[in-house]
Amino acid sequence: MGRSEKVILTNMCMIYDDNGRILVQDRLNPNWSGITFPGGHVDKGESFSHSVIREVYEETGLTIKSPLLCGVKQFQTTEDERYIVLFYKTNKFEGKLTSSEEGNVFWLKRENLYKYKLANDFDKMLEIFESDDLSEFYYNKESELLTVQLL
Ligand SMILES: Nc1nc2c([nH]c(=O)n2[C@H]2C[C@H](O)[C@@H](COP(=O)(O)OP(=O)(O)OP(=O)(O)O)O2)c(=O)[nH]1
């Protein structure tokens, strides 16, 4: 059996500031809509670091610096591809906040997050972004039942 497999690579970035605020995106895509962090697909041959800087710029107008890899999410798609989301965070950014057609982006106080309609399981993803002890969000599919594991 070959060791290669089909993989879809994406990224997502938590941008935070010194006043307890985080930058969120209200995703319009009906396929996983709601409040999440900006991010998107890694282009062919692109470095992961550059891909997250590029996606954040495209979706927020901000140029981030020193994105820190802080976790990973993965699940198997219905086409049997491994869908991987690389999690990054940074509090270094500059530029003028500008939304894209992917969804409105805005700052909110971290404590007010739960007042909004979050993307499915985004609350559990956040635990990975914010934890020093966890690094993986994994959808475990056993007997047709999908359960989240934080590892
Ligand atoms: N479609 C989808 N995206 C997810 C899921 N979970 C998850 O973290 N994401 C994240 C990974 C990426 O940050 C982003 C990918 O969204 P997308 O497929 O709409 O891609 P995009 O348009 O933002 O990307 P791009 O075409 O600009 O490169 O959403 C999920 O279950 N489905």
Side-chain angles (χ1 to χ4, degrees):
M1 196 181 81
R3 294 230 170 146
S4 61
E5 62 175 294
K6 283 196 175 167
V7 173
I8 298 174
L9 290 168
T10 68
N11 56 55
M12 179 171 285
C13 190
M14 178 172 84
I15 304 168
Y16 59 99
D17 71 9
D18 301 330
N19 302 313
R21 300 186 310 165
I22 51 177
L23 184 69
V24 297
Q25 179 184 54
D26 192 3
R27 247 175 87 93
L28 294 173
N29 191 335
N31 181 12
W32 207 57
S33 63
I35 295 290
T36 177
F37 292 136
H41 288 83
V42 179
D43 284 345
K44 190 169 176 150
E46 187 178 37
S47 76
F48 295 139
S49 183
H50 185 255
S51 76
V52 71
I53 293 170
R54 177 183 53 73
E55 280 291 345
V56 166
Y57 178 72
E58 288 174 8
E59 297 191 355
T60 71
L62 301 183
T63 301
I64 55 168
K65 266 195 203 156
S66 312
L68 201 69
L69 191 61
C70 60
V72 67
K73 168 182 174 179
Q74 61 160 317
F75 56 92
Q76 213 66 13
T77 69
T78 45
E79 277 78 43
D80 206 28
E81 303 137 324
R82 188 190 293 261
Y83 193 104
I84 296 181
V85 190
L86 299 167
F87 290 177
Y88 287 88
K89 58 182 165 186
T90 184
N91 62 354
K92 299 183 181 68
F93 56 88
E94 59 183 25
K96 183 175 176 287
L97 190 63
T98 313
S99 295
S100 74
E101 58 190 22
E102 306 269 341
N104 199 21
V105 283
F106 56 97
W107 289 100
L108 55 76
K109 281 271 186 199
R110 171 64 181 86
E111 70 235 36
N112 290 334
L113 181 69
Y114 300 105
K115 295 181 180 168
Y116 293 82
K117 187 200 157 289
L118 307 183
N120 192 36
D121 287 335
F122 183 65
D123 52 340
K124 297 184 194 98
M125 291 165 65
L126 206 57
E127 286 190 50
I128 302 293
F129 279 98
E130 295 182 329
S131 167
D132 289 333
D133 303 311
L134 296 169
S135 63
E136 182 171 350
F137 175 110
Y138 178 67
Y139 275 121
N140 192 17
K141 198 177 175 200
E142 273 175 8
S143 63
E144 295 307 304
L145 202 68
L146 216 54
T147 52
V148 175
Q149 285 187 326
L150 302 183
L151 306 165

